[in-house]
Amino acid sequence: MPAPGTRWRVALASIAAAVGLALWLAWPDVRSAALLLDLADPASRVRALLPVGVDAVRTSDLTIPTRHGDVVARVYVPVSGSSRTIVVFPGVHAGGVDEPRLAALTRRVAGAGATVVAVPLPDLRAYRITPHSTDQMEDTVAWLTSRRDLAPHGRVGVIGVSFAGGLALVAAGRPSVRGRVSAVVSLGGHGDLPRAMAYACTGRLPDGTVRPPHDYGAVLLLRAAVPRVVPPEQASALERAVVTYLDASSYSSLDAARSSELFASARAQEDALPEPARTLMHLVKK
């Protein structure tokens, strides 16, 4: 019969082995949980308990050719290497690759071990939702997956953020990129554009309840509809005022002082507008 001390050592070794096996089996889930917590709440107490580090990354810029012109992108590569690639298409924002929230997202995902390519699209940066953006997403995936230095296995994951989410789902389903997309994630994107537009305009949800929408979506719809809602001679001035307001919103995450200047400019432009453009611009800022 083993001595009491031996039994305790055997028991502790068994427990340690069981804990080690459990951690090994659960490690992918632990890393995923750490990533999600870092994106949502880096100061979380739970995150502090997870023994997951974040890899350092190096960055470089590149130009991606598309049928509607070149697109400037930024590549994030973990210093320890990577065997998979993820493309991130941000939503409607003028900030480009330097926009802080985009940079934080892409850098953290790369820190989890993936090469990440951030691709802000020109029309979305100009607050336009157009078929050009979907085409450029398709062309970006096709081009990246043809580059073995960027996508070693000829496949990429795709993340579309906000308005880019629904567009990314459409682009990923096109025949030219069949077999080149490993997964698609839509973060805050729309699944049904007409329903999303109806909600942005009315605040009414499918179940009939009303929840006030963020004004950003409604302003984007107004920017697209300007030629149809005001006399032709008012269209250019109203569009400039709306774009100034959207620029001010974009700069709120880049340069607070510049954002304040642009909001003041939007108010001044509103005051100079004739009716009905002035009322529409006033509703934008409410």
Side-chain angles (χ1 to χ4, degrees):
M1 183 175 182
T6 301
R7 291 199 299 271
W8 273 109
R9 284 193 293 273
V10 171
L12 289 173
S14 298
I15 293 171
V19 171
L21 178 61
L23 285 173
W24 180 75
L25 291 173
W27 187 245
D29 294 330
V30 173
R31 292 190 66 185
S32 296
L35 172 60
L36 293 174
L37 286 169
D38 281 342
L39 294 176
D41 184 10
S44 165
R45 293 182 180 180
V46 175
R47 175 63 180 96
L49 298 174
L50 299 180
V52 179
V54 179
D55 202 351
V57 301
R58 57 181 183 271
T59 63
S60 61
D61 291 346
L62 58 79
T63 300
I64 298 174
T66 79
R67 75 193 78 171
H68 302 300
D70 292 345
V71 177
V72 175
R74 180 161 293 166
V75 183
Y76 296 78
V77 180
V79 296
S80 62
S82 167
S83 61
R84 61 189 185 278
T85 303
I86 297 172
V87 187
V88 178
F89 296 107
V92 178
H93 195 286
V97 293
D98 294 314
E99 201 280 311
R101 292 169 298 180
L102 173 64
L105 170 65
T106 48
R107 185 174 291 276
R108 179 58 184 86
V109 174
T115 296
V116 180
V117 185
V119 189
L121 299 174
D123 277 3
L124 295 181
R125 292 187 64 184
Y127 317 112
R128 292 189 177 96
I129 312 298
T130 72
H132 281 186
S133 292
T134 315
D135 293 342
Q136 290 180 315
M137 289 177 173
E138 176 188 3
D139 294 347
T140 294
V141 170
W143 186 81
L144 287 173
T145 52
S146 70
R147 292 276 303 266
R148 289 299 185 263
D149 58 326
L150 295 171
H153 303 294
R155 290 163 62 87
V156 296
V158 175
I159 297 176
V161 181
S162 189
F163 272 93
L167 301 178
L169 290 169
V170 173
R174 291 184 171 177
S176 70
V177 294
R178 182 174 297 157
R180 301 185 183 212
V181 178
S182 56
V184 185
V185 176
S186 175
L187 297 178
H190 59 270
D192 184 320
L193 184 56
R195 192 172 73 179
M197 293 174 65
Y199 168 70
C201 293
T202 67
R204 189 172 300 279
L205 295 168
D207 64 2
T209 59
V210 175
R211 180 179 297 173
H214 193 282
D215 59 1
Y216 204 69
V219 177
L220 290 174
L221 296 179
L222 174 60
R223 194 241 197 279
V226 163
R228 298 175 176 84
V229 295
V230 297
E233 64 273 14
Q234 297 182 19
S236 295
L238 176 57
E239 187 169 8
R240 283 195 299 272
V242 169
V243 169
T244 300
Y245 174 84
L246 290 167
D247 281 340
S249 298
S250 289
Y251 269 97
S252 64
S253 63
L254 298 168
D255 183 335
R258 179 59 176 156
S259 177
S260 296
E261 291 175 2
L262 288 168
F263 276 126
S265 176
R267 288 192 293 271
Q269 290 179 61
E270 175 198 331
D271 292 340
L273 289 171
E275 294 293 351
R278 182 174 182 178
T279 294
L280 288 169
M281 188 62 200
H282 181 71
L283 292 173
V284 161
K285 305 193 335 307
K286 287 187 69 175

